[in-house]
Amino acid sequence: MPMDARLDRTKKELSNAGYDAVEKTIAGFCRDEIPGLGVDFNVWSFSRAEQLGLFLGMFVKEGLVREEPALNNLFSFANELYSNYKEVPYHSFNHAMDVTYMVYYMLTDMAVYDQCGLQQVDMAALLLAAIGHDVMHPGNNNMFQVNTKSPAARQYNNESVLENVSKDFVRGLLAKYQVIEGLFLKNQPLPKEQLVLQMTRTIDELILKTDMIHHFRLLECIVQIAESREIIESATTATKGLSPLIESLRLQHSTSSFSFGSINELGIVELKTPKMRQDVLNCILHTADISNPARPFKVCKKWSDLILTEFREQFNIEKQLSLPSSVSLLLDNQPKSQLEFLDIIVRPFFDAMYDLFPRFLNLIDIIAANSREWEQMLPGVDEELPRLGSSNSQKRRATADQTIQPSTQELNLKPVSNSYSGPLTNGRRISIAPGVIEIPASVEKYLSSVNLKQTRASISGTPRRVSLARSMAKAARNALGKFGSSESEVKEEEEEQ
């Protein structure tokens, strides 16, 4: 559907609701009266107007927006973002809203905001980046863009193509509606212009780091922070095993309230440098972006079905164009591909996050439960979805809608460097929801020495689990070196050393 028609349809939908649903949802969210929130969050149970209301409610509830003009501008920003998300199976506005809610859930219910001593500017940057991180996504990955020599791939020199498109589009909308200027941000001594510039650069970095080429670099960052952190009067460390505090954090999956574990008990995470702060923000958004397996299985399975549908549609287009396939060869074995995603990508990252944030234990318990669900489905093939090469997806042809057009807005803000674009280590590639990731050879070697099925059954939160995450990060470090870092990151690392 053309963008103008979709924007008109959105306005009509919201007009028919009289904006009442948006306002009602904002009020309900601020009063904690919205059912279905927490880790059970099911984005499909909320209408488009209600989703926008949830997004605005986060800003109102946290005191980030206090004046009506600023709220109206934020609404216009979110509404236009929605209109520019394409109607693709997975990378739609539903995904954006789901990731945004999980970011908020981690910051608040998981106590990440308080443990890290984050500020309102950090929360606002994360929420704005999350809601826009996949805008304009055409339903195919960066390798497809490069292989088809799309206009966007040429503009961005084949580097994080889709992330750069989203970043530039979000930049333009932030400026168009003066979103940052209207936010109420405490303890910000910077002049307004400098604050806007600094926050925009933070959002740029957040969106760019959702490219999966950065996954192992982010894993390494979070492990290094965990290993070097200074915990003030903490009752929890990764080497103490399951304390009564940790056992008390094993909550029912439907709950979103925590009755035990003060911030001092959970541990204060000191972020000593701006780079450490940006690294943690990047990891928070990345964690939310790969969080589908950390949700109750019904929600997890639906997201898995959607990404496989999107992969299959891309596979069929690549076949039509005689292009090499840039999606996984495991598409016809959903349980196997999901277990690989969980074992190699998701659970190690969540275990590393748990090493810093004890309340993540609830999420990694869910991941373990979902692993058991997928194991029970082996070696079956998901018969509900069309098989590779089927005719069900023939309607989606390789048109200009699949090879996206880049934003042509003129912006004066300095772009964030994103110097790495190619393979990390000539390792094995797998396709996952956020994109294509290459497993470094050193990580593959490490994984070959580990019984993944056995570790899958190990108890979450134990030293063994955290040790596995750290070992994987160290194996990745051997392969990555300085790859995956921007020039500014490398320079800052060298100065700190």
Side-chain angles (χ1 to χ4, degrees):
M1 181 181 296
M3 189 270 288
D4 290 342
R6 192 157 187 245
L7 183 58
D8 289 342
R9 191 190 72 178
T10 307
K11 290 178 178 178
K12 183 178 180 181
E13 287 177 355
L14 294 176
S15 176
N16 289 342
Y19 296 93
D20 289 343
V22 176
E23 294 179 353
K24 182 179 179 180
T25 305
I26 294 172
F29 186 85
C30 293
R31 296 175 188 143
D32 296 323
E33 296 174 351
I34 303 293
L37 300 183
V39 75
D40 287 331
F41 180 66
N42 185 337
V43 71
W44 301 282
S45 67
F46 295 90
S47 70
R48 201 61 65 186
E50 289 170 335
Q51 289 183 28
L52 293 173
L54 289 175
F55 177 68
L56 299 178
M58 297 173 196
F59 284 80
V60 175
K61 185 174 183 178
E62 301 304 323
L64 298 169
V65 171
R66 300 191 176 188
E67 297 178 357
E68 187 171 346
L71 183 62
N72 290 336
N73 285 342
L74 185 62
F75 170 79
S76 297
F77 165 82
N79 190 32
E80 189 163 342
L81 270 180
Y82 159 66
S83 300
N84 284 278
Y85 269 91
K86 298 181 184 295
E87 294 180 335
V88 295
Y90 183 91
H91 289 98
S92 63
F93 188 79
N94 283 335
H95 167 67
M97 189 63 227
D98 186 73
V99 170
T100 303
Y101 178 76
M102 285 304 292
V103 165
Y104 183 81
Y105 179 77
M106 288 189 290
L107 290 174
T108 55
D109 293 73
M110 297 282 105
V112 172
Y113 184 91
D114 289 332
Q115 275 192 258
C116 290
L118 297 179
Q119 299 179 7
Q120 286 186 315
V121 66
D122 301 313
M123 178 179 282
L126 275 166
L127 295 177
L128 292 169
I131 199 69
H133 80 283
D134 273 330
V135 67
M136 304 289 288
H137 198 293
N140 47 60
N141 59 28
N142 282 332
M143 289 181 64
F144 181 91
Q145 295 295 314
V146 172
N147 289 341
T148 57
K149 297 180 174 61
S150 71
R154 292 196 298 270
Q155 176 174 340
Y156 297 112
N157 197 29
N158 296 338
E159 297 179 1
S160 299
V161 178
L162 299 178
E163 292 76 18
N164 269 299
V165 169
S166 298
K167 176 205 70 174
D168 283 349
F169 192 86
V170 169
R171 269 188 170 200
L173 285 192
L174 289 172
K176 177 179 179 180
Y177 294 109
Q178 296 188 312
V179 173
I180 298 174
E181 289 88 338
L183 297 177
F184 183 85
L185 303 172
K186 295 179 182 177
N187 304 319
Q188 290 302 317
L190 290 177
K192 184 67 72 173
E193 289 185 3
Q194 290 185 32
L195 177 62
V196 170
L197 182 61
Q198 182 186 72
M199 191 169 168
T200 304
R201 287 176 175 171
T202 298
I203 293 169
D204 283 348
E205 178 80 357
L206 283 164
I207 294 175
L208 289 176
K209 284 300 189 292
T210 60
D211 187 341
M212 283 302 298
I213 66 169
H214 299 294
H215 170 79
F216 286 103
R217 172 63 68 190
L218 294 175
L219 175 62
E220 180 199 356
C221 285
I222 207 69
V223 165
Q224 285 183 341
I225 293 172
E227 289 179 335
S228 64
R229 73 193 187 282
E230 294 180 9
I231 301 295
I232 302 174
E233 297 296 328
S234 174
T236 307
T237 66
T239 59
K240 289 185 179 178
L242 295 176
S243 67
L245 168 64
I246 297 303
E247 281 298 332
S248 74
L249 293 172
R250 292 187 183 279
L251 306 176
Q252 293 298 318
H253 295 164
S254 61
T255 186
S256 62
S257 61
F258 291 79
S259 59
F260 192 92
S262 69
I263 296 306
N264 281 338
E265 288 174 318
L266 294 174
I268 302 299
V269 180
E270 259 192 306
L271 304 179
K272 298 179 180 179
T273 67
K275 181 183 181 302
M276 287 180 68
R277 181 173 294 270
Q278 182 71 58
D279 285 341
V280 166
L281 298 184
N282 293 340
C283 288
I284 292 169
L285 181 53
H286 178 60
T287 305
D289 203 20
I290 61 172
S291 68
N292 297 160
R295 318 289 284 284
F297 189 71
K298 182 178 180 181
V299 176
C300 166
K301 176 66 162 58
K302 184 164 184 175
W303 283 120
S304 176
D305 291 345
L306 290 173
I307 192 58
L308 286 179
T309 298
E310 195 167 288
F311 282 166
R312 288 185 170 103
E313 291 183 355
Q314 176 175 324
F315 178 90
N316 288 331
I317 295 171
E318 289 169 334
K319 188 176 179 180
Q320 294 166 23
L321 297 177
S322 300
L323 292 173
S325 176
S326 56
V327 291
S328 174
L329 296 177
L330 297 175
L331 291 180
D332 277 333
N333 192 331
Q334 186 181 21
K336 184 177 179 181
S337 63
Q338 283 299 300
L339 284 169
E340 184 171 49
F341 179 38
L342 287 164
D343 289 339
I344 300 175
I345 305 301
V346 178
R347 194 164 178 189
F349 203 89
F350 273 75
D351 283 332
M353 290 291 282
Y354 156 74
D355 203 11
L356 282 176
F357 309 114
R359 286 184 179 173
F360 266 69
L361 190 65
N362 190 39
L363 300 179
I364 54 180
D365 277 348
I366 298 173
I367 293 171
N370 287 339
S371 291
R372 292 190 289 271
E373 293 280 355
W374 290 118
E375 279 187 319
Q376 290 173 9
M377 296 170 67
L378 287 172
V381 176
D382 187 9
E383 300 296 344
E384 296 179 3
L385 296 174
R387 297 182 63 83
L388 292 179
S390 70
S391 60
N392 292 22
S393 302
Q394 298 300 316
K395 294 180 181 179
R396 293 193 65 197
R397 303 290 179 181
T399 64
D401 196 41
Q402 274 81 47
T403 53
I404 58 177
Q405 301 294 327
S407 170
T408 57
Q409 293 166 310
E410 293 295 328
L411 299 166
N412 295 321
L413 299 176
K414 183 180 179 181
V416 173
S417 173
N418 187 32
S419 57
Y420 177 72
S421 61
L424 291 174
T425 58
N426 296 320
R428 179 169 61 96
R429 288 173 176 167
I430 60 173
S431 293
I432 58 177
V436 176
I437 184 170
E438 184 167 323
I439 312 301
S442 58
V443 173
E444 288 276 29
K445 183 178 180 181
Y446 167 72
L447 290 171
S448 68
S449 69
V450 177
N451 186 326
L452 289 177
K453 186 173 181 179
Q454 198 174 66
T455 61
R456 230 177 268 153
S458 62
I459 299 174
S460 304
T462 59
R464 175 175 173 78
R465 287 297 325 173
V466 174
S467 176
L468 286 169
R470 291 186 175 188
S471 296
M472 187 178 290
K474 290 174 182 176
R477 173 68 176 178
N478 294 335
L480 294 173
K482 296 298 182 182
F483 290 112
S485 295
S486 66
E487 294 176 5
S488 61
E489 287 176 330
V490 172
K491 184 177 180 180
E492 189 170 354
E493 286 180 5
E494 291 173 345
E495 288 175 352
E496 289 179 358
Q497 293 172 0

